């Protein structure tokens, strides 16, 4: 039986096992997907287990998406350009780090009546997934990207990867079409982002990377203002679909049953 893992810390709340095991069963594969909380000093041992084919693939989540890079033999273009790895596999005896968060974000706009091209995007947060979002937004030909983060230095670091970002002070609000919450604020039902987002202009989109809870206070605010909203559920499902495809060479189906698996 082949074994797959999501590694992170914390990782208890990850819904990746639920989703991957559902698809494994649907496709009659002899495999299992588990979660494993690890410390940084255990990364090396885990990679060794993939080399020895005791583990056949892994997803990587906070806080290891960047920290794992020195342990890998090769990075895909996507992982290299974002310095972020969420999917690991063995190919020709080499450990490859890949990034499916980019496609996850991009594909979350499938079947949505919303054009991203030429829009002004305001990203709140500078954590592990933000470089993937920026990379995807640039692929989708946005006009401008603003980033703000409580710890400004972390936002400034992103400029090493993407030179044309505008970094704003915490509290500064640009003129935007799309606002993305990429902070962890909202994971707790009472969390509130202390930014004064204005009710100004038409056709804005409020996008939250968080999918559990499905409606954060940030999304409730967007809704109250009459704007479109989107949570992180489809991004999560699409990134998982791409990882699954890498490991099993099967594109698993995304249907209503799959979407309902991820409800809170
Ligand atoms: P990591 O930073 O390890 O990649 P993450 O969950 O991907 O973890 O990112 C957490 C994000 O939420 C960061 O942008 C963080 O801001 P800091 O860099 O200043 O820590 C943001 N965040 C978490 N708690 C916050 C709070 N109370 N107010 C504002 N931003 C917060």
């Amino acid at each position: 039986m082949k074994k797959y893992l999501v590694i992170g810390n914390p990782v208890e709340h990850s819904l990746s096992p639920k989703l991957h095991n559902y698809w494994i069963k649907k496709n009659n594969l002899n495999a299992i997907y588990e979660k494993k909380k690890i410390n940084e000093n255990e990364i090396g041992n885990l990679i060794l287990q993939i080399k020895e084919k005791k583990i056949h693939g892994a997803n990587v989540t906070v806080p290891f998406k960047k920290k794992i890079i020195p342990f890998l033999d090769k990075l895909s273009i996507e992982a290299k350009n974002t310095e972020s790895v969420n999917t690991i596999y063995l190919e020709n005896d080499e450990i490859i780090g890949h990034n499916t968060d980019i496609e996850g974000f991009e594909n979350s706009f499938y079947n949505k009546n919303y054009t991203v091209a030429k829009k002004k995007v305001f990203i709140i947060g500078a954590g592990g997934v933000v470089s993937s979002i920026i990379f995807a937004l640039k692929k989708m030909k946005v006009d401008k990207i603003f980033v703000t983060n409580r710890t400004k230095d972390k936002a400034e670091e992103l400029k090493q990867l993407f030179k044309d970002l505008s970094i704003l002070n915490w509290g500064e609000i640009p003129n935007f079409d799309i606002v993305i919450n990429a902070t962890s604020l909202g994971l707790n039902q009472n969390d509130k982002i202390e930014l004064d987002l204005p009710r100004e202009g038409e056709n804005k989109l409020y996008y939250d990377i968080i999918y559990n809870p499905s409606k954060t206070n940030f999304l409730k605010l967007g809704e109250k203002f009459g704007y479109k909203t989107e949570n992180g559920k489809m991004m999560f499902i699409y990134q998982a679909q791409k990882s699954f495809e890498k490991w099993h060479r099967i594109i698993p189906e995304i249907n209503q049953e799959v979407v309902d698996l991820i409800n809170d």
Side-chain angles (χ1 to χ4, degrees), residues 37-261:
K37 181 172 160 185
I38 65 164
N39 295 314
E40 201 171 339
N41 61 8
E42 295 171 278
I43 296 177
N45 181 41
L46 192 111
I47 297 297
L48 192 65
Q49 291 188 60
I50 299 178
K51 267 221 153 115
E52 290 171 347
K53 298 183 182 154
K54 288 179 186 150
I55 296 169
H56 299 83
N59 279 136
V60 183
T61 187
V62 280
F64 300 127
K65 287 186 179 189
K66 184 170 177 180
K67 290 191 177 117
I68 200 140
I69 291 178
F71 296 90
L72 308 173
D73 296 321
K74 228 166 150 178
L75 296 181
S76 69
I77 296 282
E78 291 85 356
K80 196 182 286 173
N81 283 320
T82 53
E83 291 182 352
S84 179
V85 166
N86 80 326
T87 306
I88 295 177
Y89 56 95
L90 194 69
E91 192 175 78
N92 303 326
D93 286 324
E94 283 185 312
I95 307 267
I96 318 284
H98 181 44
N99 178 335
T100 70
D101 287 328
I102 301 167
E103 277 181 291
F105 182 79
E106 255 187 292
N107 293 351
S108 71
F109 287 90
Y110 269 172
N111 305 325
K112 299 266 157 35
N113 189 15
Y114 198 87
T115 313
V116 178
K118 303 207 174 110
K119 296 283 161 66
K120 292 183 182 16
V121 186
F122 178 35
I123 302 175
I124 305 168
V129 79
V130 170
S131 61
S132 305
I133 293 171
I134 294 171
F135 191 83
L137 288 168
K138 289 174 84 74
K139 268 175 84 182
M140 294 158 96
K141 305 263 182 267
V142 295
D143 175 43
K144 186 119 192 70
I145 302 173
F146 303 91
V147 180
T148 194
N149 194 48
R150 176 181 62 177
T151 314
K152 194 178 180 187
D153 285 356
K154 248 171 91 183
E156 293 285 359
E157 274 174 34
L158 286 164
K159 283 194 87 159
Q160 290 169 14
L161 294 176
F162 308 101
K163 305 250 171 313
D164 51 357
L165 291 181
S166 291
I167 309 301
L168 303 178
N169 290 323
W170 188 249
E172 216 178 324
I173 311 290
N175 187 5
F176 64 85
D177 303 296
I178 301 172
V179 59
I180 302 174
N181 175 34
T183 71
S184 46
L185 280 175
L187 286 174
N188 297 315
Q189 202 63 258
N190 298 329
D191 287 348
K192 197 169 169 292
I193 303 171
E194 298 298 339
L195 288 176
D196 208 2
L197 293 165
R199 180 191 221 147
E200 251 171 42
E202 300 288 310
N203 199 25
K204 290 194 198 299
L205 171 67
Y206 275 55
Y207 192 123
D208 203 319
I209 300 306
I210 293 171
Y211 57 87
N212 189 7
S214 59
K215 208 185 272 181
T216 57
N217 282 327
F218 170 79
L219 291 187
K220 283 180 191 160
L221 181 72
E223 212 172 72
K224 192 175 106 192
F225 286 171
Y227 297 134
K228 291 200 170 84
T229 61
E230 174 76 17
N231 69 21
K233 180 151 93 171
M234 294 316 293
M235 175 178 179
F236 172 70
I237 294 174
Y238 280 113
Q239 64 74 32
Q241 185 188 41
K242 290 291 158 187
S243 298
F244 193 96
E245 186 184 352
K246 270 278 169 227
W247 296 327
H248 306 290
R249 301 191 187 284
I250 294 170
I251 302 174
E253 192 187 354
I254 295 174
N255 53 26
Q256 196 55 45
E257 203 175 310
V258 170
V259 173
D260 289 344
L261 276 183

